[in-house]
Amino acid sequence: MRETETAQPAETARPRATSAGAPPITDERQSQAVSLPVTGMSCAACARTIERTLRGVPGVAAAGVNFATNRATVKFDASIVSLPELVDAVRSVGYDVLTPPAGDETDERAIDDVEQQVREAEYRRLRRRLTVAAVLTAPIFILAMAGVASYGARWLELTLAVPVVFYSGAQFYRGAWASLRHRNADMNTLIAVGTGAAFTYSVAVTVAPHLVASAALPEAAAVYYEVATAIIALVLAGRLLEARARGRTSEAIRRLLNLQPRTARIVRDGVEMDVPAAKVLHDDEVIVSPGERIPVDGDVTEGASTVDESMLTGESLPVEKEPGAQVFGGSVNRTGSFRFRATRVGRETTLQQIIRMVQEAQASRAPIARLADVISGYFTPAVISLAILTFVVWFDLLPPGTRFTTALVNFVAVLIIACPCAMGLATPTAILVGTGKGAEKGILIRGGDILERAGQITTVVLDKTGTITRGQPEVTDVVAGQGATEGVARDPADAVSHDTDALLALAASVERRSEHPLGQAIVRAAAARGVPLEEPAAFEARPGRGVIALVSGRRVLIGNERLMREEGASLGALEADARRLTAAARTVMYVAVGHRSEDRRSHVVGEPDDRRSEAPPEAIGVIGLADTPREQSAAALRAMKAIGLEVVMITGDNRATADAIAREVAPGGEIDRVIAGVLPDRKAGEVKALQEAGKIVAMVGDGINDAPALAQADVGIAIGSGTDIAIEAAGITLMRADLGGVVEAIALSRKTMRVIRQNLFWAFVYNVLGIPVAAGVLYPVTGWLLSPMIAAGAMSFSSVSVVTNSLRLRRGR
C-alpha cells in the first residue's frame, strides 16, 4: 500500500559527521591526499606498523595502509609536512616507497608501471627462492623420512639446508630483525623464530653432539633440518600463489589505466605533434582518428563521429558527437575524425577521477575489518607467549628421553600455524575485488565503509526529477482540434491523417526561436517526427505565459491558459482535453491561430490596429509536456522491492503531479511512500526523519539541491549524469543514468560482505582450532601431534584460500 504525504516545512538538517561521503572540514588550500606505493610488506602487521608510523608524523590528519594493494593513503597538511618527509617516515621503519621516473610523478600509469615491474620482479624472486628451497629440501626430507641418522648424513643435510635457510629464507629473517629493531612482531617473526630454533638446534647437534648431550638430553641426537627447510619451502609456495592471486585482484585498476592512450596528437602553436597523454595542456587542440581512444576530456570543435563511452557509462550504444559536444578521455572514437579543445587534462579527467575514487575505496578499511585489526595487533605477541608456554609444559611433563624434541617440535608448530596472514587478507582482498568489480559496472564506491553500509540499507529515498525521471521536459501528448492544419502548407488529402504532425510542425516553427525548455522540447519532438518547419517572423516572448509569432502569414499563439485568456482566444472543446492532461500531471500548452475579418485582409498582419479588428484567435490544439520517467525506472523499482527495500519518492512537485508519476512508474505499488511539496532545503530533514524512525537510508539524487540530503543519508548515491556537487557529496556514484545501478550496488555490497564474513570465519576458526592442535591438546586423547611441516602447509593454504574466495566476486554478473 503506497502512502502519499505532502511535506511540511521542517528545520533544515545538518549533515552528520558520520554521513556517507561527506567531505571533512579542512582547509583545501593546505590539505592534500597522496597514495604511496609501498614495498617490503609481508603481512597485515607490516601494514599496521607503517600506518602507526605515518599517523605519528606531525601534520598527518589520517593514514591508512592496505596490505592487499600495497598502498598507503595519507591525508596531510602540506604547510606542516612534505611528501619527502612522509616517504622518509615509511623508510625509517624498514620499508620503501616506489617512485616513478623523473617527470612522471603525477602520471598514474607511470606509477602503476613501476609497481607492475616491482610485482613481476618480486614474483620472479619468489619463484627462484622457492625453486632452490624445493630442490634442496627434497633430499633432506627423504633422508629424514628414511631414518638415516649417520654422522655423514647430518653433515649432508646441513650442507643442503644452509642455502635454503640463508638464501630462500633470508627475507623472513631480515623482516623479523627489522620488526625487532622497531619493537614490533609480525609473521616474519613467527617464521624466523620457528625455523631458526629448529635449524640452530640441528646445527648444534651436528657440530657438537657431545656438548648437547652433556646437557642431560639423551634424545639430542635427533636433527630437524627437514622441519626448517620444509617450512620455508611451503611458506614460499604459499606466498607465490598469494602473489599471483593478489595480482589478479588489482586488474580493475590496471584495465582502467589502460583505457587512456599513451600518446595524443595535438596542434600547438600551429604545429601538429605527438606528445604523452599526460603532457596535454588545457586548450590544446587534439586530433582523434577513427578507432583511436580519446586521451583527455574536451569539447568538439570540428568534425563529427560516434563515440563508444561504455567504459564510463556502461551504455552499449555509441553516442553521436558533433561540434559543441563533450568527449571523455578513455572512450573510443568509432567512425569519423574530429578535433576537440582539451578542457580537463592530467588528473582532472573523468577517467582519472574514477581511478582515484577506486584506489581510495580499495585503500580504505571497512568497519568489519576493525575486529581483525584489533586481534591481529595482539596476535603475534600472544602466539609467541603460547609457543613458549607449550614448550615449557611439554618439557616439564614428558620424561627426559623425549621431552626436549617433543617440546621443540610443538613450539615450532604453534609458531608456524598461528601466522595471522589469513586474517590480515580477509577484508582488504574482498574490498579490493568488490570495488573493482563495481567500477567495471559503472558503480564507483568511495570506500570500504560505504561498501559495508550499503549492504545494510533498508530504505531508498529517490528524488523524482533527474533520478526517476529524465530531468527535462518532453512532449507526451499532441491533441489536434478542428482546423489543426490551417496555417501550414500540406496536401489536403493528408490533412486528416496528419493532424497531430501538422499541429506539431506549426508549434515547433514558432518555438524554434524560443530558448525556453518547453519550447525546445517541442522542437525536439518535431525533429524526431521529421516534420518540416518554417521560419517564424515577428517573434514575441511573453514571460510566464508563452510566445507569439507569424507563420505563413498567420499569427500563432503558443502558451498557457493565461495567454489564451489575455488574447481572447476561444478554447472550445479543447478545454476538456487540457483538463485531462493536467490531471495526468502534464504541462499544457495551447496552440491558437488568429483569424482576420474579410474586410481587413489587405492589412499588414501584426500591426496593432490590425489586431484590434481581428476575430479572436481560435485554439486548434493542445500539447502536453512532462518530465518523463527513464525507461529503466519501473524495472529498477520492481527490483528494489524484490530485494526487500522500502522505496520512498521525494519531490518538490505538487501532490497531483507526484502521484501521477508514482502511478506511471510503480503501477504495482512499488513506491511505498510519496513525499510531495518538499522545498530543496528540506530534503535533508526528510531523510533525517526517516533515520530517526530507525531506517538505514540511501538517498539517490542528481542535483545541487540533493547534495545536503546525499550527505545526510547513511549512503548517498549520485546519478552520474548529475552535477559535480551531488557526486562529491555521495558515497556511491552511478556512471550511467540508470536506477538499476542502485540495486546492483546494494547487491554487490551484500555479496562482498558475505565473502568478508566467510573469510573472517575461516581465518578465525583456522587459528582457534589450529593453535590448540599444534600445542598438542589432543595428544592425551588421540595421540596426535601436528608436524610443523603440516602446520606450514595449512598456514599457507589458509591465506591462499582467503584470496581465492575473494576472487569469486569477479565472476558475478
Side-chain angles (χ1 to χ4, degrees):
M1 184 70 182
R2 185 171 65 239
E3 179 183 345
T4 304
E5 47 188 272
T6 302
Q8 300 299 321
E11 182 182 355
T12 302
R14 182 187 302 274
R16 301 175 301 163
T18 58
S19 60
I25 300 174
T26 57
D27 186 346
E28 293 298 332
R29 295 169 297 179
Q30 298 177 339
S31 179
Q32 292 186 19
V34 66
S35 180
L36 303 175
V38 180
T39 62
M41 289 193 292
S42 59
C43 67
C46 301
R48 287 192 303 276
T49 298
I50 299 170
E51 189 175 288
R52 187 166 56 246
T53 302
L54 288 170
R55 286 177 177 173
V57 176
V60 172
V65 180
N66 191 318
F67 173 46
T69 60
N70 290 324
R71 286 267 182 154
T73 304
V74 189
K75 293 182 180 179
F76 62 98
D77 189 335
S79 66
I80 299 176
V81 63
S82 65
L83 180 58
E85 289 174 309
L86 297 176
V87 173
D88 290 340
V90 174
R91 290 172 175 165
S92 71
V93 288
Y95 305 93
D96 200 3
V97 176
L98 296 177
T99 54
D104 290 334
E105 291 83 357
T106 60
D107 187 350
E108 192 63 43
R109 171 176 276 179
I111 296 173
D112 183 74
D113 287 345
V114 173
E115 288 185 279
Q116 181 70 9
Q117 292 168 10
V118 171
R119 281 193 294 266
E120 291 174 355
E122 175 64 18
Y123 185 82
R124 290 193 297 269
R125 187 160 50 248
L126 280 172
R127 190 169 55 192
R128 284 196 304 270
R129 294 178 186 273
L130 174 60
T131 301
V132 170
V135 169
L136 298 181
T137 297
I140 297 174
F141 191 79
I142 292 172
L143 289 171
M145 294 300 101
V148 180
S150 66
Y151 183 74
R154 292 177 191 166
W155 278 99
L156 176 60
E157 288 183 44
L158 173 58
T159 302
L160 295 172
V162 166
V164 177
V165 172
F166 292 101
Y167 171 69
S168 298
Q171 64 190 73
F172 304 127
Y173 300 105
R174 282 196 300 266
W177 174 245
S179 295
L180 180 63
R181 285 192 300 112
H182 296 96
R183 298 188 180 90
N184 295 314
D186 57 17
M187 174 186 173
N188 291 317
T189 306
L190 299 179
I191 296 173
V193 172
T195 59
F199 178 75
T200 303
Y201 169 72
S202 299
V203 170
V205 170
T206 302
V207 175
H210 300 294
L211 181 62
V212 175
S214 67
L217 299 173
E219 78 278 19
V223 292
Y224 294 95
Y225 292 116
E226 79 282 4
V227 171
T229 56
I231 287 172
I232 290 173
L234 287 168
V235 173
L236 286 174
R239 286 199 175 179
L240 191 72
L241 294 173
E242 182 184 314
R244 177 183 295 176
R246 285 170 60 190
R248 291 165 60 196
T249 63
S250 59
E251 285 182 3
I253 288 288
R254 200 169 306 119
R255 280 196 291 267
L256 287 171
L257 288 170
N258 289 336
L259 291 176
Q260 185 179 48
R262 292 187 178 272
T263 61
R265 188 174 301 108
I266 65 170
V267 177
R268 190 179 294 169
D269 299 327
V271 178
E272 185 174 321
M273 64 183 78
D274 288 339
V275 300
K279 303 300 182 184
V280 177
L281 304 177
H282 285 280
D283 295 326
D284 273 347
E285 184 179 8
V286 184
I287 304 172
V288 186
S289 299
E292 292 182 344
R293 286 196 180 272
I294 298 170
V296 296
D297 296 358
D299 297 326
V300 177
T301 57
E302 180 183 333
S305 182
T306 56
V307 175
D308 180 0
E309 296 180 347
S310 58
M311 42 69 65
L312 289 175
T313 64
E315 298 290 348
S316 58
L317 295 177
V319 182
E320 299 289 336
K321 300 294 182 181
E322 55 187 17
Q326 190 175 14
V327 292
F328 302 97
S331 52
V332 181
N333 179 29
R334 288 299 186 195
T335 53
S337 298
F338 63 89
R339 299 186 178 205
F340 69 92
R341 181 180 63 85
T343 56
R344 290 196 288 188
V345 300
R347 295 193 174 185
E348 301 172 351
T349 65
T350 302
L351 177 61
Q352 287 295 328
Q353 290 176 18
I354 292 172
I355 292 170
R356 188 158 56 251
M357 286 181 68
V358 176
Q359 286 176 333
E360 290 173 357
Q362 293 181 343
S364 66
R365 180 176 291 115
I368 196 174
R370 292 172 188 160
L371 177 61
D373 288 343
V374 170
I375 293 177
S376 297
Y378 297 100
F379 198 77
T380 301
V383 166
I384 293 176
S385 300
L386 284 172
I388 294 173
L389 179 62
T390 298
F391 180 89
V392 171
V393 170
W394 279 102
F395 191 84
D396 285 344
L397 294 180
L398 292 181
T402 58
R403 64 184 181 183
F404 183 81
T405 54
T406 304
L408 178 65
V409 168
N410 291 339
F411 169 80
V412 173
V414 170
L415 289 175
I416 299 305
I417 201 168
C419 288
C421 283
M423 282 190 290
L425 290 168
T427 299
T429 53
I431 290 176
L432 180 67
V433 178
T435 52
K437 182 66 176 178
E440 292 177 6
K441 300 169 74 172
I443 303 168
L444 304 183
I445 303 170
R446 283 190 178 274
D449 56 334
I450 304 296
L451 184 64
E452 179 175 344
R453 205 176 304 149
Q456 303 166 353
I457 290 169
T458 60
T459 302
V460 176
V461 178
L462 304 172
D463 178 58
K464 179 185 77 69
T465 306
T467 302
I468 294 178
T469 63
R470 296 177 178 275
Q472 65 177 10
E474 299 289 344
V475 172
T476 58
D477 304 89
V478 181
V479 180
Q482 186 67 31
T485 55
E486 292 186 23
V488 292
R490 278 198 174 274
D491 184 341
D494 294 335
V496 176
S497 61
H498 293 86
D499 279 355
T500 56
D501 283 357
L503 179 67
L504 192 60
L506 182 63
S509 296
V510 175
E511 294 286 6
R512 66 191 305 181
R513 288 280 191 92
S514 173
E515 296 181 355
H516 194 280
L518 296 177
Q520 293 174 351
I522 292 174
V523 174
R524 286 196 303 271
R529 294 196 187 189
V531 297
L533 304 184
E534 299 185 34
E535 188 65 28
F539 179 86
E540 178 188 359
R542 300 281 184 89
R545 288 161 289 181
V547 294
I548 303 173
L550 297 180
V551 177
S552 298
R554 291 191 177 275
R555 190 164 177 264
V556 182
L557 296 75
I558 303 175
N560 55 26
E561 186 175 350
R562 182 181 173 187
L563 177 65
M564 299 297 114
R565 300 300 183 195
E566 288 179 355
E567 294 294 319
S570 173
L571 304 181
L574 290 173
E575 277 192 279
D577 293 309
R579 285 194 298 271
R580 175 179 57 80
L581 294 177
T582 301
R586 305 293 192 253
T587 298
V588 174
M589 302 276 283
Y590 285 96
V591 181
V593 176
H595 299 275
R596 295 187 306 277
S597 60
E598 290 299 325
D599 59 344
R600 302 293 296 173
R601 286 187 182 274
S602 61
H603 283 240
V604 178
V605 176
E607 290 183 359
D609 61 327
D610 181 49
R611 252 200 317 260
R612 294 189 196 98
S613 63
E614 289 181 1
E618 180 182 353
I620 61 171
V622 292
I623 297 176
L625 301 99
D627 182 8
T628 57
R630 300 181 187 275
E631 292 88 345
Q632 309 90 346
S633 292
L637 290 169
R638 289 193 298 271
M640 290 179 195
K641 294 303 294 181
I643 62 174
L645 297 174
E646 177 189 15
V647 181
V648 177
M649 186 179 82
I650 190 168
T651 177
D653 286 341
N654 58 55
R655 181 179 296 181
T657 300
D659 284 345
I661 290 293
R663 286 192 299 270
E664 184 173 355
V665 298
E670 290 84 3
I671 296 179
D672 298 284
R673 299 172 64 190
V674 175
I675 306 177
V678 182
L679 297 177
D681 60 346
R682 307 297 182 188
K683 290 182 179 180
E686 297 296 335
V687 171
K688 185 176 182 181
L690 289 168
Q691 291 170 326
E692 290 173 346
K695 313 289 187 182
I696 300 176
V697 181
M699 172 69 194
V700 187
D702 76 323
I704 292 175
N705 58 14
D706 297 326
L710 290 169
Q712 172 66 43
D714 295 286
V715 177
I717 303 177
I719 297 291
S721 58
T723 65
D724 290 342
I725 294 176
I727 292 171
E728 282 299 315
I732 297 176
T733 299
L734 307 180
M735 292 306 296
R736 61 185 190 273
D738 180 1
L739 278 179
V742 175
V743 180
E744 289 182 335
I746 294 174
L748 178 63
S749 168
R750 292 178 178 178
K751 187 173 182 180
T752 303
M753 295 313 300
R754 185 163 59 249
V755 168
I756 289 176
R757 284 190 288 269
Q758 291 168 354
N759 288 349
L760 289 174
F761 173 80
W762 288 112
F764 283 127
V765 166
Y766 162 81
N767 282 289
V768 168
L769 297 180
I771 292 175
V773 172
V777 296
L778 297 180
Y779 181 77
V781 179
T782 63
W784 294 348
L785 286 177
L786 186 64
S787 165
M789 289 177 287
I790 297 177
M795 182 270 293
S796 298
F797 175 76
S798 69
S799 297
V800 173
S801 64
V802 163
V803 177
T804 304
N805 190 43
S806 297
L807 287 171
R808 290 192 305 111
L809 291 167
R810 296 176 59 203
R811 297 198 295 268
R813 290 186 57 193

